[in-house]
Amino acid sequence: MMLLTKDHRKRLIANGQNRGDHVPIVKLFNPVGAATWLLSELDEDGDTLFGLADLGFGCAELGSVSLSEIASLTLPFDLSIERDLHFEARFTLTVYADAARLVGRITEDEARLEAAALAQAHE
């Protein structure tokens, strides 16, 4: 599976050129494990992504990751990292990060995300 489409790359690079708290563009995940990435920016090198990474240890972190390293991961059963074809972010990356800190993992639970967004609005 292609991890990033041309449209994803274009939108991720545009976000990377305009630093800010963006809505994640793409979600990647390990189909046989706990790793998940919500990605919002791509450097012009075409490899360095920025986003929220959760490797399944209970502490999702904001930071940079290498697309080529993610794509080269070898998983059991000849599987590879996949892109969530149905993911549509409704919140900014920091809202997802705040919600992940509360529950110990990246979540798409609407109530948790709404609570994190509301808390940010009152800061």
Side-chain angles (χ1 to χ4, degrees):
M1 165 184 280
M2 182 182 349
L3 294 180
L4 299 179
T5 65
K6 287 181 182 180
D7 181 59
H8 289 139
R9 285 182 179 277
K10 180 180 174 182
R11 293 168 55 203
L12 289 163
I13 288 173
N15 284 352
Q17 292 171 340
N18 181 22
R19 298 284 183 197
D21 188 14
H22 302 287
V23 172
I25 302 297
V26 66
K27 175 184 175 184
L28 304 179
F29 68 96
N30 177 342
V32 292
T36 304
W37 297 265
L38 298 182
L39 304 165
S40 63
E41 299 175 27
L42 177 63
D43 285 354
E44 291 188 31
D45 67 7
D47 186 60
T48 306
L49 293 154
F50 180 82
L52 182 63
D54 179 355
L55 301 181
F57 300 119
C59 55
E61 295 183 5
L62 290 168
S64 296
V65 297
S66 166
L67 178 60
S68 60
E69 286 183 21
I70 291 172
S72 70
L73 291 173
T74 304
L75 304 176
F77 313 112
D78 286 330
L79 294 172
S80 58
I81 299 300
E82 296 184 13
R83 175 171 34 95
D84 184 338
L85 300 176
H86 304 287
F87 177 73
E88 290 186 36
R90 290 197 26 215
F91 301 92
T92 62
L93 194 59
T94 60
V95 169
Y96 284 95
D98 288 349
R101 282 187 202 98
L102 293 173
V103 299
R105 62 181 169 72
I106 290 176
T107 182
E108 292 183 64
D109 180 271
E110 288 292 321
R112 303 268 187 182
L113 292 165
E114 291 282 352
L118 186 59
Q120 275 190 10
H122 287 98
E123 288 181 355

